[in-house]
Amino acid sequence: MIKKALTICLIASVLMSFTNTGDSKKPLKKAHRIHQKCLTVDTHCDTPMLMIKPGFSVRDEHKASKSRVDLPRMKSGGLDAMFFAVYTGQKPRNDENYNKTCKLANQMLDSIHAMLNKDSDLATLALKADDLARIEKTGKRAIYIGMENGFPLAKDISRVEEFYKRGVRYITLCHSYHNDICDSSSDGKPAEHNGVSEFGKQVIAEMNRLGIMIDVSHASDKSFFDAVELSKTPIIASHSSVRAIAKNDRNLTDEMIQKLAEKGGVIQICLLDAYLKEPDTTTFQYTEVKRLRKFYRANSDKLNDKEKEALFQEWDGLKAKDLKNMPGVKELVDHIDHVKNLAGIDYVGIGSDFDGGGGLRDCADVSQFPNITLELVRRGYSEKEIRKIWGGNLLRVFREVENQAEKPKSVHHLANN
Ligand SMILES: [Zn+2]
């Protein structure tokens, strides 16, 4: 009875979340039926950065300009599971920054666990691939944890297990600059390790032993190929797109996608505009956004919260004025089509990067995810294929990583440590 009521509720809320595109009722009906039946997983958002701010709660429904992920909008968008990423920016590698960054990562983990305690009526911590199906039946959101940038490991291999015990189930090896684990795709300086470092090899082996997914988003091409070879298990790109469509170092080449698929991994297509469509570099908006990004990267340490918010607002304002050039779900599904045709339907999924730069013209926050399903239906994707894209493929990799871990561990009681 409760389940039936929940299902009706979900259908109603999902129905409301389609953008009116003038479609006939048939694909709309089919899309919302499939969307509500699928187990849906998004592998990347940076919302924990907001959660450490006083007064911010994912229990509240926010506007997309403030945040793109919260529990009410996850529900109305029919999103069952989100990987909350504990993101730390790369800084010079010295003891002071190692300590500060590890502290910040733990602060974000504290805020996720505090939210899960406080909002236990709406969300539950998920630690294993199969937890999702169990949690979905309760009508609550499943919250997985990822870590973006291995910088907080601070050359201390024991920290991999410490973070595992706190719930971390994937680690993005690096971010925008080279770190102790591997070279980054966007550092700008020549390679430091020529791919994965000696410490990085230990980290990958330890992740394999524990059952943590290896995430190669942000890694350089050489780091990617090293990671695929070094890992005993399939790997993921938690938020990257296709370089053959949008030339960007953050995206994977066809050769990389084929290699990833050969090893049974998955590329989670990212909703960040520049990773989906090469920007028109002649516009005023492009030049201004570039200037702001450069300023932010150089000064992010010195800016206070108010200054950062003003900068993000200016950024959003520029993007809003350029809405017609912003990619939408059509461009996103072009990337999905490409992976399907190149490697097969089993190797592609979705990783939004919401609250970290992700957001499309017609999919600006989690509540608009049904628009992606609608576009897949329009292009003739079957229900089975859509299930794979929305989580089936990612969960397959996750299970494989768990199966190959040293031994199954019950860590539920440790997750709040
Ligand atoms: Zn990222």
Side-chain angles (χ1 to χ4, degrees), residues 276 306 410:
L276 291 180
K306 261 198 167 163
S410 173

Side-chain angles (χ1 to χ4, degrees), residues 89-93 98 149-151 173-195 197 218-221 223 297:
Q90 189 62 44
K91 294 187 174 66
R93 284 169 269 157
Y98 284 137
N149 195 359
F151 186 34
L173 299 177
C174 65
H175 192 245
S176 301
Y177 300 94
H178 307 327
N179 66 8
D180 293 312
I181 297 170
C182 67
D183 296 325
S184 163
S185 68
S186 46
D187 187 293
K189 292 201 192 83
E192 183 180 326
H193 311 289
N194 189 29
S197 71
H218 288 287
S220 72
D221 292 8
S223 300
R297 276 178 76 153

Side-chain angles (χ1 to χ4, degrees), residues 44 46 148 175 218 239 250 353:
H44 197 86
D46 287 319
E148 184 174 29
H175 192 245
H218 288 287
H239 58 302
R250 278 282 288 103
D353 206 6

